[in-house]
Amino acid sequence: MLGGVGGITAGDLMTDTVSEDKVSDPGRIRLLTTNGGDIEVGSMFVEGGSTVEISAIASGDLTVNGSVVSRTNQVPSETQFIGFARICLLAGESIYVDAEGVSTRDKTIAVEAHGKIKTFADIRICAGEDVILENLDKGITAEGKTSGSGDEIFTADARVLMGAGASTEESRTISVNGLVFGDADNADLPITITASVSGGGSKAELTAGDLPPGETEVDASNPDGGADAKLGIDDDFEHELPGDPECPDCWCADCPTPPGLPRPIHP
């Protein structure tokens, strides 16, 4: 869906694959507005296959009345190399996610990627102003895992990156379930990141409590190699939104926009 100043308003958006289908992917959800347009949707789910993605990029505010889940449910039968799951939630102004009304699905923001040789689980949440996430009973989780065996080089990467205040000169608010980043112990924030390589037996894990006070990034890599986890939280984000694709350090730079359309950079 593409929108201008009038924005995008929708209910729940879901796509998946039938359980008997071991080859197809469920597709991707991509929403984009320019010229200050807002996005307001219900829950967003993409589940099945081996490549899944949800990207909602608003030039104005982004509001999600529900959960956001991007989850593979099978190792591909034909292509055995990559399992990929991504969520990009970006706004030139503020991001609001409230899962209170979710009754039958997970109350969470979550990615889960499963591959045989290589896998990548990725959550990016970047706002020009505030990031407010509420009623996430299962918090924020990113899990990437491989299940192959043999002489291949197995890798699993999982990350969660959240930034606020990109369009302002002062720090803004990042809160999860009423807990504000920087106000108290980061360990109280419900964030879990796991990368595991069963073929090589390596695992890397992070929670918000692993982020040292005053720091914005932390990495964990298994000493045996193959598994890498990363967490970033910054309430005084200095990157341009949604980011310069030529900037390798911009957290949300590679979040996708439809081909041929400009990125909705906030004024």
Side-chain angles (χ1 to χ4, degrees):
M1 295 185 184
L2 310 176
V5 67
I8 295 172
T9 302
D12 295 342
L13 302 174
M14 302 182 184
T15 179
D16 59 16
T17 57
V18 297
S19 59
E20 295 83 4
D21 186 344
K22 301 300 182 183
V23 180
S24 300
D25 281 315
R28 309 179 187 220
I29 294 174
R30 289 185 175 180
L31 312 176
L32 171 70
T33 61
T34 59
N35 298 324
D38 298 331
I39 295 175
E40 181 171 3
V41 296
S43 291
M44 293 186 287
F45 285 87
V46 177
E47 298 177 287
S50 58
T51 302
V52 290
E53 177 196 307
I54 296 170
S55 291
I57 302 176
S59 183
D61 288 322
L62 170 62
T63 301
V64 180
N65 301 307
S67 299
V68 187
V69 177
S70 181
R71 177 186 291 144
T72 68
N73 68 0
Q74 66 193 30
V75 177
S77 298
E78 300 296 328
T79 303
Q80 300 183 1
F81 286 92
I82 298 174
F84 174 86
R86 166 185 276 165
I87 290 173
C88 284
L89 303 178
L90 278 64
E93 296 179 9
S94 291
I95 296 172
Y96 308 93
V97 178
D98 188 352
E100 181 179 13
V102 178
S103 59
T104 60
R105 306 297 293 269
D106 298 338
K107 295 185 176 183
T108 183
I109 297 174
V111 294
E112 180 179 323
H114 187 187
K116 285 188 177 179
I117 295 175
K118 184 176 182 179
T119 188
F120 189 68
D122 184 25
I123 295 176
R124 317 284 183 99
I125 303 174
C126 299
E129 297 177 3
D130 300 318
V131 175
I132 310 296
L133 314 174
E134 298 180 335
N135 296 303
L136 301 177
D137 290 353
K138 296 186 178 181
I140 301 169
T141 62
E143 181 180 8
K145 56 185 177 181
T146 62
S147 60
S149 60
D151 297 328
E152 300 283 351
I153 298 175
F154 301 94
T155 62
D157 292 273
R159 65 180 64 181
V160 174
L161 303 174
M162 293 197 295
S167 63
T168 65
E169 296 297 327
E170 70 264 355
S171 62
R172 301 291 294 213
T173 298
I174 296 177
S175 72
V176 184
N177 294 346
L179 302 172
V180 177
F181 170 69
D183 278 5
D185 190 344
N186 292 332
D188 294 330
L189 294 171
I191 302 171
T192 304
I193 304 164
T194 306
S196 58
V197 178
S198 61
S202 63
K203 189 173 185 178
E205 295 181 282
L206 285 173
T207 67
D210 296 315
L211 186 63
E215 298 293 325
T216 59
E217 293 185 43
V218 61
D219 290 273
S221 298
N222 188 280
D224 296 329
D228 184 76
K230 181 175 181 177
L231 171 64
I233 308 176
D234 188 353
D235 60 3
D236 192 11
F237 204 48
E238 296 182 354
H239 297 169
E240 190 174 28
L241 276 176
D244 182 348
E246 301 300 323
C247 173
D249 297 324
C250 294
W251 286 356
C252 291
D254 54 357
C255 285
T257 58
L261 287 176
R263 292 174 170 268
I265 296 173
H266 192 271

